[in-house]
Amino acid sequence: MKLTWWNEKTYEDVCDFYSNGERRCAVTNATGTGKTSVLAKVIGDYYDGEGSVMVIAPRDNIVKQYKNPFYEMNDKKIIFKTYSKLGREYSSNCINYTGLKLIVFDELHRIDAKTWRPAVDILADLNPDAKLLGASATPKRTDQKNKDEDMIDVFFNDNRAGNFDIVQCLKLGILPKPIYCSIIYDKAYNEMENDLLDKIYRIKDETTRQIQLNKIKESRINWEASFGYDKIFRTFLDFNNIENENSKIIIFCKDVEHIKEIHNSIDDHLKKLFVNEFGLELIIDDYHNKTSEKPFEEFKNDKEKGRVNILYTIDKLEEGVHVDEVKAIIMFRDTYSEIKYFQQIGRVLSISGSKHPVIIDFVANGSKVKGLDIFKKSGMIIENNLDNFVDYRGIATEGRRDRKRDIPVRCYALHEDAEKLFNEIKEVNSKGMPFTYKGETDTITYFAEKYHKSYAELYNKVYFQNMTITEAIETSLDLIDYEVEYHGEK
């Protein structure tokens, strides 16, 4: 098995740790860089028959990837476990594995869960001579209590092999440079808009209320004219040479009901593009905990040219599962988790994937977890509209390098105009909406200071007693500045 240059370097790091007496180390390269090939190479070094190597992973579909002939493990009798299976064995006092030479922890950020961490510790204690090898592009814990705890520090003594992060991988051309679209889809936009409208309609001052309503109306008109599904899909999903390839798209949703909702919202638009306009065959299916593995297997193995496969999912494809020919992911599942964000985009950022994959982020996740800031560090240019749209996917047809390092790939942050307006209105509301009194328009703070009134009293009367600012000012007592009066300076 021949490794890429970066994975060869990572493999050498692992060997150096072990040869220098370290028992634990972890592969930390970015998602999509081929970490499994490094694990397979190390497994080959330590495997000497049945019972010598155990591999632990979060899900069975990740375990199945080790059966790929490329990894040269089909004839090896390796013990495969999921973390949950190991936890159940611990609960039943069934952990009695001894004689292991290597224990591999794939997606190592899962190690510290309460339901199986004791099993992990016992397994390590039962095999004191075994090397412990982890792998994860996102090694921090996922729970809120310890969200900043890095499991490589905790469990692998901060021994990091490779350590090619996503910024390095994009700069060096290890990973393909994506075309990124960040936008707010209709339901999310409606929810933000309705939340603001509820606040605006409580404004007593008619002039101020109408100004804010006009801003909302203008934003809605601009959003609908510029960012409809047809325009977004036509712009970003018109893949180069699509009629001669098999194109795969993964759509991430929140839950089963959300999948149904998104089906109803966008399937007709996808059919309009791929079937009516391009004349392609379109296959749409779902894959989650309530389905069998069949939709995923068919999605992964389909090689028919001139066909587009779209797979709706929730979280079964977020980590550790790689599929060739995935040309785009579409995110409708919002998250504030950096791990979930990078695991999702990792399905399309892969050394075996599309040359310039597409990420359509309909919930502006990149903004929430500062993912766009990371892309900017790798040289990506952020645009706020589609006027400067440049499709780099056609570069491959010009005979240039697929991942030429000096290509300034762009992210189209189309959510920013709407979010900027919404945040401005929220900020104004949090400080006190502008009101008009005696021909002056300003905030509660301004009127409280100018007319020497209690800010708390004015705020309470306006927002809780539904008074106008005029009523609030004229029914409030003047403040008494005792310190100034005491010194006789008034």
Side-chain angles (χ1 to χ4, degrees), residues 186-241:
D186 52 2
K187 184 178 179 181
Y189 187 97
N190 291 341
E191 289 174 351
M192 293 172 63
E193 184 181 69
N194 289 336
D195 179 60
L196 286 178
L197 285 173
D198 182 61
K199 294 179 172 64
I200 292 171
Y201 281 126
R202 293 203 300 265
I203 300 174
K204 302 296 290 184
D205 185 85
E206 183 177 351
T207 302
T208 303
R209 182 173 64 250
Q210 195 57 51
I211 290 172
Q212 303 301 329
L213 289 174
N214 288 340
K215 287 183 178 181
I216 291 290
K217 183 178 179 180
E218 181 180 356
S219 176
R220 163 65 69 172
I221 292 172
N222 292 338
W223 183 83
E224 289 180 344
S226 303
F227 309 136
Y229 287 127
D230 286 339
K231 181 169 184 177
I232 294 300
F233 291 155
R234 185 64 182 81
T235 301
F236 292 95
L237 298 184
D238 183 4
F239 304 121
N240 182 51
N241 202 29

